[in-house]
Structure formats: C-alpha cells, structure tokens
Amino acid sequence: MDVFDTFLNMAVLKRSLPMLLDGLWLTLQLGAASIVAGLVLGLVVALLRLYAVAPVRILMRIYIDIFRSIPLLVLLIVVYYALPFVGLRLTAFVSAMTALTLVSGAYTAEIFRAGIEAIPNGQFEASAALGLSHRHTMFDVILPQAVRIVIPPLTNNSINVVKDTALASVVAMPDLLKQATQAQALAANPTPLIGAALIYLAFLWPLVLLVSYLERHFNSGRRR
Amino acid sequence: MSTVSIRALNKFYGTFQALRGIDLEIAKGEVVCVIGPSGSGKSTLIRCINRLEEFSRDSAILVDGIPVVAGRSLAKVRAEVGMVFQNFNLFPHLTVRENVMLAPRRVRGTSRAEAANHANALLARVGIAEQADKYPEKLSGGQQQRVAIARALAMEPQVLLFDEPTSALDPEMVGEVLDVMKALAGTGVTMIVVTHEMGFARQVADRVIFMDGGEVIETGPPEQVLGAPREQRTQNFLSAVLNH
Ligand SMILES: Nc1ncnc2c1ncn2[C@@H]1O[C@H](COP(=O)(O)OP(=O)(O)OP(=O)(O)O)[C@@H](O)[C@H]1O
Ligand SMILES: [Mg+2]
C-alpha cells in the first residue's frame, strides 16, 4: 500500500495530469518539428555529400562527423547558453529544435547516403541512357527505391529524436520531463515522474515494435 | 552523312588503354554486330557512344552530327540513342508501363495519356501488352528484356545500342528477344549490337566488326567476316566460339 501511495498515487497523478499533458504536447511538437527538419536537412546534406563539387563534399563530411561526435546535451547548452554571447538569443524551443535537428540531420544524411549507395549502378546507367536529368534520376528512379531501404533506420532515428527531446528540460523548456519534475516538486511525491515515464513508454514502445516490423517486412521484400 | 561517326577513339582506364584509335562510320539504318573475345573493349566502345564512359579529348564521336561531349548537348545525344543492357536494368519500383512512360514524360514532357498510349503500343509491338500493369520482378527474363527494348524505343531513338542483350537469359528465352530485334532491324533504326549470337549476326547484320585488344581487327559483311575471315585473330576467335 505504502509503495502505491508513494510511487503511484492516483490523487497526485490526477492532479498533475494536466501539466503532464501540456508537457507531452510540447514534447511531441518539438519531436515532430525536429524529425521533419532533420529529414530535409539530412537529404540535402546526403545529396551534397555525394554529388556536389569536392570542397562542398568535404564540408558535408565534416558537418556529418562533427554532429555525430558531439554529445547532444553539450550542443544544446552551447546553443542556448553560449550563443547569446555573440548576440544570438534563441528561445528554449528554438534552441532545442536547432540542436536536435543538427544532430538528427547528420545521422539522417548517413542513412540516406547508405540508401542511395545501395542502389545498383545499372539504375543510374539506365536513367542516364534514357536522357533523364540528374534531378529526375534522383527523384523518379533512385530515391523511391532508396526510401524503401532507409525507412527502418529512419524510423529508428526518429525514436531517438523523440527520446532526446527530454534533454530540452535542461534549457527550461516545459516539455514532458520538465513538467513532471515540477509536478513532483509541487506534490512532494514522485508519482508524476512515473507518470511521465509511462507516457514516454506508451508512445515509444509501439514505434520500437514498428521498426522491428519494418525491418522484417523490407528485408523479406528484398529477398523476394 | 553517317548517323554515328567515331574518330580516333581512345579510352583509358587509368593507365590501361581499353580502346586504341577506333575509327567507325555507321550509316543510318545500318545494323552492326560487334563481336570479339572477353575484354576486347566491345562494351566500352558502345558505352562511349552515349557517353556512359568518358573518353580521351583527342577523340571525337558524333551522333547525327551532334558531338558527344559533356554538357548540354549530351541530353540531345542521349535522347537520340537508346540502350539495352545485359541485365535489363528495369526500374523495379515502376510497373512495366511506367518503365516505358518515364523518359518520354520527363525528357520530352509528353502528357501522361499520350505516353501511356505510346507505351501500350510499344508493349504490344514487343509482344507483352498484357503484362503492362505488372512489376518487372513478376516477368521472365525474356519478357523483362523486351520491356527494356520497349523502354528504349519510347524515346524514338535514331540509334539503338545493345550490350549482349541475350547473355543473361535462359536459353529458351533467347529466341523471343532476338525475334524482337530482328523485327526492329527492318525499321530504319540504326542498331549496334554487341553479341555472341553468331546466328543472329549472320542473319541480320549488315556489317560485322571483330574487335580484339581494344582495336577493330576486321570489319565487313557477315558472310565475309564470319564465313571467310582474313585475319588470323578473327579465325582463332571464330573457331574457339564455334567449337565450344
Ligand atoms: N571500370 C573499369 N575500370 C578498369 N578497367 C576496366 C573497366 N571497365 C572495363 N575495363 C577493362 O577494359 C577492357 C575492356 O572491357 P570491356 O568491358 O569493354 O570488354 P568486353 O569486350 O565488353 O568484354 P566482355 O565480352 O567480357 O563483356 C577489359 O580489359 C576490362 O578489364
Ligand atoms: Mg562487355
């Protein structure tokens, strides 16, 4: 009984639920915005990394390597606390989204590159022989095939982005985790934290199952 | 004027010279079969014609008078030159009809309806009209190669290049593809065919070119090159091919 009163106190949970849902809503907005921006950034970076002139290709490699190396928390704190010293003051949401997007874009770029490189050279040659432009070759022939390959790893990356949104609580953004810690302080009871953990699980577990399914589905698709 | 004009064509892979000063004039509507041992440069030669391979600057290739150089005019050349590959290289994510429609729509800006009609007509011509809505993986090798021919024809090219179009096929499917090619040979399209099918060359070619070591060793009508070769290397190759 005591354990339930402490860790799963229904009265506390009920009182803190509106706060948690506010936080969840912000977490989902931040996650979705960063995922979409990271996808666009990653696709552009992947194409430049593969097909641009040499100096741009090198720049893209450096970008990819830097943002896969830097800890997200460090990047987030740099964006939020250090940039104001050079006159760039971003809101907590924009800071968090910037950091998440930069990192997700780097991973996404590598995923797209691997996907494009997995397409047999004959597809590029057939497109060239037909007179298709680079743009049409990419958008009509290569990317539609590459997307099938990259969907499982991209979904996986998206899960990581949603998980990493929790770091935004350190720059005082009232996301799910931040709201939970505040509700915990108000109620002097850890139940809201458990509630937040359960909400993360409820959203991410199905996505993890989805990735497993997609991996099986697309693998069997290719073997067919 | 020649439809394809190849002048002093040199091709290097690094320091290795794959083509050594090839000169060829191919007339409109001519059917040319290119034969020769493995590694003699047959694929390299025809892949230079639509510039899938770059070649030395001191060489020149003209298609319909248009120089085959990198840049804007290359699109014009490629619209005039269709290619059929050994491994078909169909687009697996598109249906058979969409495979045939893609280039006319994107390169020529043909409307969807018009491209679909044209595709249906071409697929009927190569004998696979009823497969139009299937995906390539559902088709046999012979059917896939016929789709690839229809796809190349969709751009209404002046020149068709074939790189061993039947070499990846099960023996029982070779005939259906060769039949389609024979039917094409009478239509005024210029065909350059790399092949090991000596029967096809004898029957259909206007001219046979024997290559070895990156050079054209012997060229002439099929009855001469295949029937009474002048060069020792041609004789050796033919006896090796025919006796095996
Ligand atoms: N990408 C490449 N890099 C280096 N060398 C190459 C490359 N492609 C071809 N070669 C070489 O160039 C020569 C000519 O090759 P090519 O493919 O044109 O021969 P082929 O006559 O078509 O032979 P096959 O009958 O086996 O298809 C060969 O010696 C080959 O090893
Ligand atoms: Mg070859």
Side-chain angles (χ1 to χ4, degrees):
Chain A
M1 251 346 247
D2 265 357
V3 176
F4 274 95
D5 276 347
T6 309
F7 291 105
L8 251 168
N9 188 313
M10 282 305 152
V12 173
L13 189 60
K14 213 175 150 192
R15 249 183 292 133
S16 55
L17 201 58
M19 271 180 93
L20 293 184
L21 290 181
D22 280 351
L24 171 65
W25 176 231
L26 203 58
T27 286
L28 292 179
Q29 282 179 304
L30 178 61
S34 306
I35 288 168
V36 171
L39 281 174
V40 174
L41 178 67
L43 179 57
V44 172
V45 170
L47 292 175
L48 292 174
R49 160 85 177 74
L50 284 170
Y51 303 115
V53 292
V56 177
R57 288 207 304 266
I58 293 167
L59 273 179
M60 292 303 118
R61 271 184 84 150
I62 294 173
Y63 160 79
I64 290 169
D65 289 348
I66 287 180
F67 286 94
R68 289 197 308 163
S69 319
I70 193 166
L72 181 58
L73 184 55
V74 174
L75 178 64
L76 183 57
I77 288 177
V78 167
V79 170
Y80 189 68
Y81 292 108
L83 287 187
F85 286 94
V86 294
L88 196 58
R89 198 174 298 278
L90 303 176
T91 65
F93 186 92
V94 174
S95 301
M97 182 178 156
T98 304
L100 284 167
T101 300
L102 286 171
V103 170
S104 172
Y107 282 99
T108 310
E110 283 298 88
I111 293 171
F112 274 120
R113 181 173 70 92
I116 291 169
E117 286 182 340
I119 304 301
N121 202 34
Q123 296 289 305
F124 290 88
E125 292 191 341
S127 306
L130 285 167
L132 293 177
S133 64
H134 288 297
R135 187 168 60 93
H136 285 134
T137 301
M138 270 299 138
F139 286 98
D140 288 317
V141 178
I142 305 302
L143 290 177
Q145 296 181 62
V147 159
R148 286 177 62 87
I149 301 171
V150 300
I151 277 179
L154 283 182
T155 313
N156 208 18
N157 181 64
S158 301
I159 292 175
N160 288 334
V161 173
V162 175
K163 278 164 43 175
D164 290 343
T165 57
L167 291 171
S169 56
V170 303
V171 295
M173 204 190 83
D175 73 326
L176 177 55
L177 179 60
K178 184 77 182 170
Q179 294 287 53
T181 53
Q182 282 187 342
Q184 175 222 4
L186 281 176
N189 179 293
T191 300
L193 291 178
I194 307 292
L198 291 176
I199 293 175
Y200 278 116
L201 269 183
F203 270 87
L204 292 173
W205 194 343
L207 285 178
V208 170
L209 295 179
L210 176 67
V211 172
S212 309
Y213 167 78
L214 289 174
E215 276 167 354
R216 258 178 293 129
H217 178 73
F218 284 116
N219 277 338
S220 67
R222 245 174 302 158
R223 242 181 273 125
R224 186 174 42 187
Chain B
M1 189 186 68
S2 307
T3 291
V4 178
S5 189
I6 299 175
R7 295 174 193 162
L9 177 61
N10 291 312
K11 163 71 189 176
F12 288 86
Y13 289 110
T15 55
F16 173 74
Q17 188 166 6
L19 296 178
R20 301 169 174 272
I22 304 237
D23 289 294
L24 271 180
E25 299 291 327
I26 297 171
K28 180 163 173 47
E30 200 179 359
V31 177
V32 175
C33 283
V34 182
I35 61 170
S38 181
S40 56
K42 307 178 299 292
S43 298
T44 306
L45 171 66
I46 65 166
R47 289 162 58 85
C48 284
I49 295 172
N50 60 356
R51 215 178 167 94
L52 286 186
E53 301 288 350
E54 312 229 311
F55 45 85
S56 305
R57 277 154 184 252
D58 53 6
S59 317
I61 299 180
L62 295 118
V63 172
D64 236 3
I66 312 166
V68 182
V69 291
R72 287 191 130 262
S73 62
L74 188 56
K76 270 193 217 148
V77 169
R78 285 180 171 168
E80 293 299 334
V81 181
M83 188 165 205
V84 176
F85 300 86
Q86 183 173 345
N87 297 313
F88 329 137
N89 293 340
L90 293 177
F91 303 134
H93 62 298
L94 300 177
T95 64
V96 163
R97 186 188 288 106
E98 289 165 345
N99 264 274
V100 181
M101 289 167 63
L102 181 64
R105 293 209 62 209
R106 294 295 184 253
V107 181
R108 299 225 196 274
T110 311
S111 74
R112 173 174 276 282
E114 200 180 322
N117 281 338
H118 191 204
N120 290 341
L122 288 170
L123 290 170
R125 189 163 149 199
V126 299
I128 37 179
E130 67 286 0
Q131 316 284 351
D133 292 307
K134 291 189 184 161
Y135 284 89
E137 63 177 358
K138 302 285 182 210
L139 272 56
S140 73
Q143 291 173 324
Q144 291 193 41
Q145 193 61 298
R146 286 186 278 155
V147 175
I149 293 171
R151 180 177 69 174
L153 288 173
M155 291 295 286
E156 301 183 319
Q158 302 271 335
V159 181
L160 272 178
L161 309 173
F162 295 82
D163 193 355
E164 301 196 27
T166 57
S167 294
L169 298 177
D170 294 335
E172 72 271 20
M173 293 170 184
V174 169
E176 65 193 55
V177 171
L178 291 180
D179 285 345
V180 168
M181 292 169 61
K182 276 178 206 162
L184 275 176
T187 62
V189 64
T190 306
M191 291 169 61
I192 306 175
V193 185
V194 175
T195 187
H196 294 300
E197 296 292 335
M198 296 302 155
F200 176 82
R202 193 169 286 122
Q203 231 188 309
V204 183
D206 298 308
R207 180 155 48 133
V208 173
I209 293 175
F210 173 71
M211 288 183 71
D212 195 10
E215 292 174 300
V216 173
I217 304 297
E218 184 161 359
T219 167
E223 51 277 15
Q224 185 245 300
V225 175
L226 302 177
R230 293 197 194 99
E231 298 289 331
Q232 187 62 44
R233 280 200 268 182
T234 318
Q235 292 166 15
N236 293 347
F237 172 74
L238 288 174
S239 62
V241 170
L242 299 176
N243 293 334
H244 110 140

